[in-house]
Amino acid sequence: MTGQQGNVFKEIVARKKELAGKVLILCHHYQHEDVFQFADLTGDSLKLARQAAESGEYPYIIFCGVHFMAESADILTGADQAVILPDLQAGCPMADMATAEEVAAAWDELASVCAGQAVIPVTYVNSSARIKAFVGNRGGSVCTSSNAERVLAWALKKGEKVFFFPDEHLGRNSSKALGFADDEIVVWQRGKKLGGNSVQQLRQARTILWNGYCHVHQEFLVGQIHDWRRQIPGIKIIVHPECPWEVVSEADMSGSTERIIAAVQESAVGASWAIGTEANLVNRLQRQHPDKTIRLLAQTPCTCGTMSRITPANLLWVLDNLAQKKVVNQISVDAKIAAGARLALDRMLEI
Ligand code: 13P
Ligand code: SF4
Protein backbone atom coordinates (compact mmCIF):
# COMPACT_ATOMS: atom_id res chain seq x y z
CA MET A 1 0.00 0.00 0.00
CA THR A 2 1.41 3.42 -0.96
CA GLY A 3 1.23 6.42 1.40
CA GLN A 4 -1.29 8.11 -0.89
CA GLN A 5 -3.49 4.99 -0.95
CA GLY A 6 -3.28 4.81 2.86
CA ASN A 7 -4.56 8.39 3.08
CA VAL A 8 -7.50 7.59 0.77
CA PHE A 9 -8.38 4.56 2.92
CA LYS A 10 -8.27 6.70 6.11
CA GLU A 11 -10.47 9.36 4.52
CA ILE A 12 -13.03 6.74 3.45
CA VAL A 13 -13.18 5.40 7.02
CA ALA A 14 -13.66 8.94 8.37
CA ARG A 15 -16.40 9.78 5.84
CA LYS A 16 -18.19 6.51 6.55
CA LYS A 17 -18.24 7.40 10.26
CA GLU A 18 -19.53 10.87 9.51
CA LEU A 19 -22.32 9.47 7.29
CA ALA A 20 -23.18 6.49 9.52
CA GLY A 21 -26.87 5.56 9.33
CA LYS A 22 -27.28 7.44 6.04
CA VAL A 23 -25.06 5.51 3.65
CA LEU A 24 -25.07 1.78 2.92
CA ILE A 25 -22.23 0.37 0.81
CA LEU A 26 -23.17 -2.78 -1.13
CA CYS A 27 -20.32 -4.69 -2.74
CA HIS A 28 -20.27 -7.56 -5.25
CA HIS A 29 -17.82 -10.40 -4.55
CA TYR A 30 -15.81 -9.56 -7.69
CA GLN A 31 -14.66 -6.22 -6.30
CA HIS A 32 -10.98 -5.82 -5.50
CA GLU A 33 -10.00 -5.92 -1.81
CA ASP A 34 -9.13 -2.20 -1.90
CA VAL A 35 -12.86 -1.47 -2.29
CA PHE A 36 -14.35 -4.65 -0.77
CA GLN A 37 -12.88 -3.79 2.67
CA PHE A 38 -15.32 -0.85 2.93
CA ALA A 39 -18.48 -2.86 2.22
CA ASP A 40 -21.32 -2.83 4.74
CA LEU A 41 -22.92 -5.79 2.96
CA THR A 42 -21.55 -8.14 0.31
CA GLY A 43 -23.18 -10.70 -1.96
CA ASP A 44 -23.83 -12.21 -5.35
CA SER A 45 -26.40 -10.57 -7.64
CA LEU A 46 -29.40 -12.20 -5.94
CA LYS A 47 -28.28 -11.45 -2.39
CA LEU A 48 -27.45 -7.83 -3.28
CA ALA A 49 -30.88 -7.37 -4.91
CA ARG A 50 -32.53 -8.69 -1.73
CA GLN A 51 -30.35 -6.48 0.47
CA ALA A 52 -31.24 -3.42 -1.61
CA ALA A 53 -34.94 -4.27 -1.29
CA GLU A 54 -34.57 -4.39 2.51
CA SER A 55 -32.45 -1.23 2.92
CA GLY A 56 -35.38 1.15 3.53
CA GLU A 57 -33.75 3.10 6.38
CA TYR A 58 -30.77 4.29 4.29
CA PRO A 59 -31.25 7.35 2.06
CA TYR A 60 -28.06 6.59 0.08
CA ILE A 61 -26.97 3.24 -1.35
CA ILE A 62 -23.49 3.18 -2.87
CA PHE A 63 -23.33 0.24 -5.24
CA CYS A 64 -19.86 -1.22 -5.81
CA GLY A 65 -20.68 -3.48 -8.72
CA VAL A 66 -21.81 -2.91 -12.29
CA HIS A 67 -24.52 -0.80 -13.90
CA PHE A 68 -27.30 -3.42 -14.20
CA MET A 69 -26.92 -4.27 -10.49
CA ALA A 70 -27.30 -0.60 -9.52
CA GLU A 71 -30.36 -0.33 -11.78
CA SER A 72 -31.95 -3.35 -10.05
CA ALA A 73 -31.18 -1.76 -6.68
CA ASP A 74 -32.81 1.50 -7.79
CA ILE A 75 -35.94 -0.39 -8.92
CA LEU A 76 -36.16 -2.31 -5.64
CA THR A 77 -35.52 0.65 -3.30
CA GLY A 78 -37.94 3.39 -2.25
CA ALA A 79 -38.50 6.67 -4.12
CA ASP A 80 -36.74 8.54 -1.28
CA GLN A 81 -33.53 6.49 -1.63
CA ALA A 82 -30.70 7.31 -4.07
CA VAL A 83 -28.58 4.56 -5.61
CA ILE A 84 -25.09 5.65 -6.62
CA LEU A 85 -22.58 3.92 -8.92
CA PRO A 86 -19.09 5.38 -8.26
CA ASP A 87 -18.11 5.06 -11.97
CA LEU A 88 -20.81 5.28 -14.63
CA GLN A 89 -18.59 3.34 -17.07
CA ALA A 90 -18.79 0.24 -14.86
CA GLY A 91 -21.09 -1.75 -17.15
CA CYS A 92 -21.34 -5.44 -17.98
CA PRO A 93 -20.23 -6.29 -21.55
CA MET A 94 -22.50 -9.34 -21.57
CA ALA A 95 -25.54 -7.25 -20.61
CA ASP A 96 -24.68 -4.91 -23.50
CA MET A 97 -24.91 -7.84 -25.96
CA ALA A 98 -28.72 -7.58 -25.92
CA THR A 99 -30.34 -4.20 -26.53
CA ALA A 100 -34.06 -3.66 -25.96
CA GLU A 101 -34.54 -2.91 -29.68
CA GLU A 102 -32.82 -6.14 -30.79
CA VAL A 103 -34.78 -8.18 -28.27
CA ALA A 104 -38.13 -6.64 -29.34
CA ALA A 105 -37.38 -7.32 -33.03
CA ALA A 106 -36.34 -10.92 -32.33
CA TRP A 107 -39.46 -11.43 -30.19
CA ASP A 108 -41.74 -10.33 -33.05
CA GLU A 109 -39.90 -12.54 -35.53
CA LEU A 110 -40.22 -15.54 -33.21
CA ALA A 111 -43.92 -14.83 -32.64
CA SER A 112 -44.48 -14.82 -36.41
CA VAL A 113 -43.32 -18.45 -36.71
CA CYS A 114 -44.52 -19.81 -33.35
CA ALA A 115 -48.21 -18.87 -33.64
CA GLY A 116 -50.31 -20.84 -31.17
CA GLN A 117 -47.34 -21.55 -28.87
CA ALA A 118 -46.94 -19.69 -25.56
CA VAL A 119 -43.43 -18.24 -25.29
CA ILE A 120 -42.29 -16.95 -21.88
CA PRO A 121 -39.36 -14.50 -21.79
CA VAL A 122 -36.73 -14.89 -19.06
CA THR A 123 -33.82 -12.53 -18.62
CA TYR A 124 -30.65 -13.04 -16.62
CA VAL A 125 -30.27 -10.21 -14.10
CA ASN A 126 -27.21 -9.17 -16.17
CA SER A 127 -29.40 -7.12 -18.51
CA SER A 128 -30.65 -3.55 -18.81
CA ALA A 129 -33.75 -2.32 -16.97
CA ARG A 130 -35.42 -1.89 -20.39
CA ILE A 131 -35.03 -5.60 -21.12
CA LYS A 132 -36.28 -6.47 -17.66
CA ALA A 133 -39.32 -4.29 -18.34
CA PHE A 134 -39.87 -5.97 -21.71
CA VAL A 135 -39.83 -9.34 -19.95
CA GLY A 136 -41.96 -8.20 -17.01
CA ASN A 137 -44.64 -6.77 -19.30
CA ARG A 138 -44.91 -10.12 -21.13
CA GLY A 139 -45.43 -12.33 -18.08
CA GLY A 140 -41.77 -13.32 -17.72
CA SER A 141 -39.21 -13.18 -14.94
CA VAL A 142 -35.65 -12.22 -14.14
CA CYS A 143 -33.27 -14.94 -12.92
CA THR A 144 -29.79 -14.92 -11.41
CA SER A 145 -27.10 -17.58 -11.48
CA SER A 146 -28.45 -18.82 -8.11
CA ASN A 147 -31.97 -19.54 -9.33
CA ALA A 148 -31.87 -19.84 -13.15
CA GLU A 149 -32.92 -23.49 -13.12
CA ARG A 150 -35.87 -22.80 -10.81
CA VAL A 151 -37.02 -19.80 -12.86
CA LEU A 152 -36.73 -21.77 -16.11
CA ALA A 153 -38.80 -24.63 -14.64
CA TRP A 154 -41.41 -22.07 -13.51
CA ALA A 155 -41.54 -20.50 -16.98
CA LEU A 156 -41.87 -23.86 -18.70
CA LYS A 157 -44.88 -24.66 -16.53
CA LYS A 158 -46.50 -21.43 -17.70
CA GLY A 159 -45.70 -21.83 -21.40
CA GLU A 160 -44.36 -24.17 -24.03
CA LYS A 161 -41.01 -22.47 -24.55
CA VAL A 162 -38.70 -19.90 -23.09
CA PHE A 163 -36.80 -17.11 -24.85
CA PHE A 164 -33.75 -16.57 -22.62
CA PHE A 165 -31.53 -13.42 -22.64
CA PRO A 166 -28.65 -12.63 -22.79
CA ASP A 167 -26.33 -15.43 -21.55
CA GLU A 168 -26.33 -18.47 -23.83
CA HIS A 169 -24.25 -20.50 -21.39
CA LEU A 170 -26.36 -19.96 -18.28
CA GLY A 171 -29.41 -20.74 -20.43
CA ARG A 172 -27.91 -23.96 -21.79
CA ASN A 173 -26.55 -25.12 -18.42
CA SER A 174 -29.95 -24.59 -16.79
CA SER A 175 -31.81 -26.26 -19.70
CA LYS A 176 -29.49 -29.28 -19.56
CA ALA A 177 -29.93 -29.50 -15.78
CA LEU A 178 -33.69 -29.72 -16.42
CA GLY A 179 -33.05 -32.66 -18.75
CA PHE A 180 -33.56 -31.07 -22.18
CA ALA A 181 -31.99 -32.74 -25.20
CA ASP A 182 -29.72 -30.82 -27.57
CA ASP A 183 -32.41 -30.43 -30.25
CA GLU A 184 -34.76 -28.85 -27.68
CA ILE A 185 -32.24 -26.04 -27.05
CA VAL A 186 -31.54 -23.62 -29.91
CA VAL A 187 -29.32 -20.55 -30.11
CA TRP A 188 -30.66 -17.24 -31.42
CA GLN A 189 -27.75 -15.61 -33.26
CA ARG A 190 -28.05 -11.84 -33.13
CA GLY A 191 -28.38 -10.20 -36.52
CA LYS A 192 -29.43 -13.34 -38.42
CA LYS A 193 -32.86 -13.99 -39.88
CA LEU A 194 -34.82 -16.15 -37.38
CA GLY A 195 -31.63 -16.12 -35.32
CA GLY A 196 -30.08 -18.50 -37.86
CA ASN A 197 -32.72 -21.21 -37.27
CA SER A 198 -35.35 -22.92 -39.38
CA VAL A 199 -39.03 -22.51 -38.58
CA GLN A 200 -39.17 -26.18 -37.58
CA GLN A 201 -36.19 -25.84 -35.18
CA LEU A 202 -37.85 -22.89 -33.48
CA ARG A 203 -41.24 -24.59 -33.24
CA GLN A 204 -39.81 -27.70 -31.61
CA ALA A 205 -37.41 -25.86 -29.24
CA ARG A 206 -38.13 -25.68 -25.49
CA THR A 207 -35.50 -23.03 -24.81
CA ILE A 208 -34.21 -20.40 -27.25
CA LEU A 209 -30.95 -18.83 -26.09
CA TRP A 210 -29.66 -15.37 -27.03
CA ASN A 211 -25.99 -15.74 -27.98
CA GLY A 212 -24.46 -13.42 -25.36
CA TYR A 213 -21.55 -14.47 -23.16
CA CYS A 214 -19.20 -13.29 -20.43
CA HIS A 215 -15.64 -12.91 -21.72
CA VAL A 216 -14.23 -13.60 -18.22
CA HIS A 217 -15.95 -16.98 -17.88
CA GLN A 218 -15.07 -17.90 -21.49
CA GLU A 219 -11.46 -18.17 -20.33
CA PHE A 220 -12.11 -21.43 -18.48
CA LEU A 221 -11.48 -24.55 -20.53
CA VAL A 222 -11.89 -28.32 -20.16
CA GLY A 223 -8.12 -28.86 -20.63
CA GLN A 224 -7.45 -26.76 -17.50
CA ILE A 225 -9.65 -29.11 -15.47
CA HIS A 226 -7.66 -32.11 -16.69
CA ASP A 227 -4.36 -30.32 -15.91
CA TRP A 228 -5.38 -29.61 -12.29
CA ARG A 229 -6.60 -33.17 -11.79
CA ARG A 230 -3.21 -34.45 -12.98
CA GLN A 231 -1.29 -31.99 -10.79
CA ILE A 232 -3.32 -32.30 -7.57
CA PRO A 233 -5.05 -35.67 -7.19
CA GLY A 234 -8.38 -35.32 -5.37
CA ILE A 235 -8.77 -31.64 -6.28
CA LYS A 236 -12.38 -30.48 -6.67
CA ILE A 237 -13.33 -28.23 -9.57
CA ILE A 238 -16.12 -25.69 -9.11
CA VAL A 239 -17.17 -23.21 -11.82
CA HIS A 240 -19.68 -20.42 -12.34
CA PRO A 241 -22.63 -21.33 -14.63
CA GLU A 242 -21.63 -18.55 -17.06
CA CYS A 243 -18.93 -21.03 -18.19
CA PRO A 244 -19.65 -23.07 -21.33
CA TRP A 245 -21.51 -26.39 -20.91
CA GLU A 246 -18.42 -28.50 -21.72
CA VAL A 247 -16.64 -26.92 -18.73
CA VAL A 248 -19.64 -27.10 -16.38
CA SER A 249 -20.31 -30.74 -17.24
CA GLU A 250 -16.66 -31.71 -16.69
CA ALA A 251 -16.41 -29.83 -13.36
CA ASP A 252 -17.40 -31.44 -10.04
CA MET A 253 -19.82 -28.63 -9.20
CA SER A 254 -21.15 -25.35 -10.54
CA GLY A 255 -22.92 -22.46 -8.88
CA SER A 256 -23.23 -18.73 -8.32
CA THR A 257 -20.56 -16.82 -6.48
CA GLU A 258 -22.40 -17.37 -3.15
CA ARG A 259 -22.56 -21.11 -3.88
CA ILE A 260 -18.84 -21.21 -4.65
CA ILE A 261 -18.03 -19.42 -1.39
CA ALA A 262 -20.25 -21.81 0.60
CA ALA A 263 -18.70 -24.90 -1.03
CA VAL A 264 -15.19 -23.79 -0.09
CA GLN A 265 -16.23 -22.77 3.44
CA GLU A 266 -17.99 -26.08 4.07
CA SER A 267 -15.11 -28.24 2.78
CA ALA A 268 -12.75 -30.04 5.17
CA VAL A 269 -9.36 -28.70 6.28
CA GLY A 270 -6.79 -29.66 3.63
CA ALA A 271 -9.31 -29.71 0.76
CA SER A 272 -8.10 -28.60 -2.69
CA TRP A 273 -10.12 -26.48 -5.12
CA ALA A 274 -9.65 -25.09 -8.60
CA ILE A 275 -12.24 -22.38 -9.16
CA GLY A 276 -13.59 -21.09 -12.46
CA THR A 277 -14.77 -17.56 -11.71
CA GLU A 278 -13.49 -13.99 -11.40
CA ALA A 279 -10.01 -13.79 -9.87
CA ASN A 280 -10.68 -11.24 -7.11
CA LEU A 281 -13.09 -13.67 -5.47
CA VAL A 282 -10.70 -16.61 -5.89
CA ASN A 283 -7.81 -14.60 -4.41
CA ARG A 284 -9.98 -13.62 -1.44
CA LEU A 285 -10.96 -17.25 -0.80
CA GLN A 286 -7.27 -18.14 -0.93
CA ARG A 287 -6.48 -15.55 1.77
CA GLN A 288 -9.47 -16.54 3.91
CA HIS A 289 -8.69 -20.27 3.82
CA PRO A 290 -4.94 -20.77 4.30
CA ASP A 291 -5.73 -24.33 5.51
CA LYS A 292 -6.96 -25.23 1.98
CA THR A 293 -5.31 -25.30 -1.44
CA ILE A 294 -7.21 -22.84 -3.65
CA ARG A 295 -6.30 -22.11 -7.26
CA LEU A 296 -7.79 -20.12 -10.12
CA LEU A 297 -8.78 -22.65 -12.78
CA ALA A 298 -7.10 -20.69 -15.63
CA GLN A 299 -3.54 -19.35 -15.86
CA THR A 300 -4.78 -16.02 -17.35
CA PRO A 301 -5.74 -13.10 -15.00
CA CYS A 302 -9.57 -13.53 -15.32
CA THR A 303 -10.58 -10.20 -13.80
CA CYS A 304 -13.68 -8.28 -14.79
CA GLY A 305 -12.33 -4.98 -16.10
CA THR A 306 -15.59 -3.11 -15.71
CA MET A 307 -16.08 -4.20 -12.07
CA SER A 308 -12.54 -2.89 -11.48
CA ARG A 309 -13.62 0.60 -12.53
CA ILE A 310 -14.89 1.05 -8.97
CA THR A 311 -11.87 2.27 -7.01
CA PRO A 312 -11.18 3.71 -3.53
CA ALA A 313 -10.67 7.11 -5.25
CA ASN A 314 -14.13 7.24 -6.86
CA LEU A 315 -15.74 5.75 -3.72
CA LEU A 316 -14.19 8.57 -1.69
CA TRP A 317 -15.33 11.14 -4.28
CA VAL A 318 -18.94 9.90 -3.84
CA LEU A 319 -18.65 10.04 -0.02
CA ASP A 320 -17.07 13.51 -0.08
CA ASN A 321 -19.98 14.78 -2.15
CA LEU A 322 -22.55 13.14 0.11
CA ALA A 323 -20.89 14.80 3.10
CA GLN A 324 -21.69 18.09 1.32
CA LYS A 325 -25.25 16.84 0.67
CA LYS A 326 -24.54 16.39 -3.07
CA VAL A 327 -25.57 13.20 -4.86
CA VAL A 328 -23.30 12.35 -7.80
CA ASN A 329 -23.59 9.46 -10.30
CA GLN A 330 -27.13 8.59 -9.28
CA ILE A 331 -28.68 5.65 -11.15
CA SER A 332 -32.27 6.51 -11.75
CA VAL A 333 -34.47 4.24 -13.84
CA ASP A 334 -37.40 5.91 -15.65
CA ALA A 335 -40.64 5.26 -13.70
CA LYS A 336 -42.45 3.46 -16.55
CA ILE A 337 -39.47 1.17 -17.25
CA ALA A 338 -38.99 0.60 -13.52
CA ALA A 339 -42.62 -0.52 -13.13
CA GLY A 340 -42.26 -3.20 -15.84
CA ALA A 341 -38.84 -4.30 -14.60
CA ARG A 342 -40.17 -4.53 -11.05
CA LEU A 343 -42.81 -7.01 -12.19
CA ALA A 344 -40.03 -9.26 -13.52
CA LEU A 345 -37.82 -8.79 -10.46
CA ASP A 346 -40.69 -9.37 -8.02
CA ARG A 347 -41.66 -12.56 -9.87
CA MET A 348 -38.11 -13.80 -9.38
CA LEU A 349 -38.06 -12.91 -5.68
CA GLU A 350 -41.35 -14.84 -5.27
CA ILE A 351 -40.33 -17.96 -7.25
P1 13P B 1 -23.54 -13.78 -9.53
O1 13P B 1 -25.00 -13.82 -9.79
O2 13P B 1 -23.00 -15.13 -9.21
O3 13P B 1 -23.20 -12.72 -8.56
O4 13P B 1 -22.80 -13.40 -10.90
C1 13P B 1 -22.91 -12.12 -11.43
C2 13P B 1 -21.94 -11.95 -12.49
O5 13P B 1 -21.89 -10.92 -13.12
C3 13P B 1 -21.07 -13.06 -12.78
O6 13P B 1 -20.23 -12.75 -13.82
FE1 SF4 C 1 -20.48 -9.05 -16.77
FE2 SF4 C 1 -18.77 -11.10 -16.86
FE3 SF4 C 1 -18.13 -8.89 -15.54
FE4 SF4 C 1 -20.02 -10.56 -14.61
S1 SF4 C 1 -17.84 -10.99 -14.84
S2 SF4 C 1 -20.13 -8.34 -14.67
S3 SF4 C 1 -20.97 -11.21 -16.54
S4 SF4 C 1 -18.49 -9.08 -17.75
Side-chain angles (χ1 to χ4, degrees), residues 6 48 52 54 63 120 133 217 220 237 259-260 294 316-317 343:
L48 290 171
E54 289 160 9
F63 209 107
I120 308 296
H217 290 91
F220 302 111
I237 313 290
R259 178 80 196 88
I260 291 172
I294 295 170
L316 178 59
W317 171 70
L343 288 174

Side-chain angles (χ1 to χ4, degrees), residues 15-28:
R15 285 294 190 211
K16 277 195 70 180
K17 249 192 210 151
E18 196 182 326
L19 294 162
K22 292 190 189 129
V23 171
L24 182 71
I25 301 182
L26 297 182
C27 228
H28 189 269

Side-chain angles (χ1 to χ4, degrees), residues 28-30 43-48 66 68-69 92 94 124-126 143-146 214 216-217 240-242 255-260 277-278 281 304 307:
H28 189 269
H29 293 302
Y30 292 169
D44 65 0
S45 304
L46 180 62
K47 197 165 158 194
L48 290 171
V66 287
F68 74 81
M69 297 179 182
C92 165
M94 182 219 280
Y124 188 23
V125 70
N126 295 40
C143 75
T144 72
S145 55
S146 307
C214 165
V216 178
H217 290 91
H240 195 279
E242 286 176 14
S256 73
T257 47
E258 282 292 332
R259 178 80 196 88
I260 291 172
T277 199
E278 216 265 355
L281 171 58
C304 174
M307 282 265 181

Side-chain angles (χ1 to χ4, degrees), residues 23-81:
V23 171
L24 182 71
I25 301 182
L26 297 182
C27 228
H28 189 269
H29 293 302
Y30 292 169
Q31 288 295 321
H32 190 275
E33 226 45 44
D34 285 353
V35 169
F36 197 80
Q37 62 181 325
F38 299 113
D40 294 311
L41 297 171
T42 64
D44 65 0
S45 304
L46 180 62
K47 197 165 158 194
L48 290 171
R50 289 217 165 98
Q51 285 164 345
E54 289 160 9
S55 67
E57 70 271 34
Y58 293 93
Y60 307 115
I61 312 292
I62 302 181
F63 209 107
C64 300
V66 287
H67 193 269
F68 74 81
M69 297 179 182
E71 274 191 335
S72 298
D74 180 53
I75 293 162
L76 292 168
T77 48
D80 51 350
Q81 291 177 284

Side-chain angles (χ1 to χ4, degrees), residues 290-313:
D291 56 325
K292 296 168 192 174
T293 302
I294 295 170
R295 300 283 180 265
L296 183 67
L297 181 57
Q299 303 293 335
T300 45
C302 300
T303 48
C304 174
T306 45
M307 282 265 181
S308 316
R309 294 194 71 103
I310 311 298
T311 62

